[in-house]
Amino acid sequence: EMPITTGNFLKLAREGFYNGTKFHRVIEGFMVKGGDPNTKTENVDSYGVGGPGYTIQDEFIAGFSNVRGTIAMANTGRPDSGGSQFFINLVDNTGLDFDKPPTGSSHPVFGKVVAGMEIVDAIGSVATTPEDRPVEPIVISEIVVK
C-alpha cells in the first residue's frame, strides 16, 4: 500500500545498500534508527545525515500508525526528504502519526516487524553516548528480501 516508500526500501535492500550499516541512533523507550550509509565509516560526526543520493515522495495512509514494531521512513523534518534512513518504533509513538495534531509527523509507516522484536528490544536497551549512538556498534550484516 506504500509503493514509493516500500519499493525504495526493497530496492536498496536488494542492492545491498544497508549491508554493513550501523544503527546510529538508539533511544530506549522510543525507537532505533538505521539506514545511513555514512555509518559504514568511522566518522561518527557524519552519522545521521547520509542517504542514497536522492529523496522520495512522502506517502501517508490513514490507519498506518507509529505503533510498537512498525517501521517508518526517517527524514530531515521537511516534506519529501526521506531516502534510506528508517526507524523501528519500540513503543506506541502515535504522536508521530502524520494526522495527529498539533504538529503531525512526516514519517510514513511502511512496514512492521513480524518476527524478532526481542532483538529490536535488545538493540533499544544498549548503552549509548550522549548523542544516542550505541557505545558498541550494532551492524546490519545483511538484509535479505524473500
Side-chain angles (χ1 to χ4, degrees):
E1 294 187 53
M2 303 284 278
I4 297 169
T5 310
T6 305
N8 180 65
F9 183 87
L10 291 173
K11 170 190 166 297
L12 293 172
R14 286 184 182 110
E15 293 172 350
F17 180 91
Y18 294 111
N19 300 350
T21 60
K22 300 175 183 103
F23 282 96
H24 62 277
R25 189 170 183 216
V26 172
I27 303 175
E28 189 171 13
F30 181 45
M31 61 88 201
V32 300
K33 185 176 178 185
D36 181 350
N38 292 350
T39 64
K40 293 181 182 184
T41 74
E42 298 305 315
N43 181 8
V44 297
D45 292 334
S46 71
Y47 291 10
V49 298
Y54 59 84
T55 59
I56 61 173
Q57 177 184 342
D58 290 333
E59 295 177 285
F60 299 109
I61 297 177
F64 281 40
S65 181
N66 281 279
V67 295
R68 175 175 163 73
T70 56
I71 306 168
M73 181 56 63
N75 58 42
T76 66
R78 298 181 58 102
D80 304 323
S81 62
S84 63
Q85 294 187 42
F86 62 91
F87 61 92
I88 305 171
N89 289 292
L90 296 171
V91 297
D92 290 351
N93 290 314
T94 57
L96 297 177
D97 291 350
F98 76 97
D99 57 352
K100 299 292 188 297
T103 57
S105 174
S106 296
H107 303 289
V109 173
F110 68 96
K112 183 174 182 177
V113 175
V114 295
M117 192 62 195
E118 68 278 1
I119 296 167
V120 179
D121 287 334
I123 294 169
S125 66
V126 300
T128 58
T129 68
E131 297 81 23
D132 301 318
R133 191 172 45 254
V135 172
E136 296 292 324
I138 301 168
V139 180
I140 298 172
S141 57
E142 182 180 23
I143 293 180
V144 178
V145 179
K146 295 182 178 186

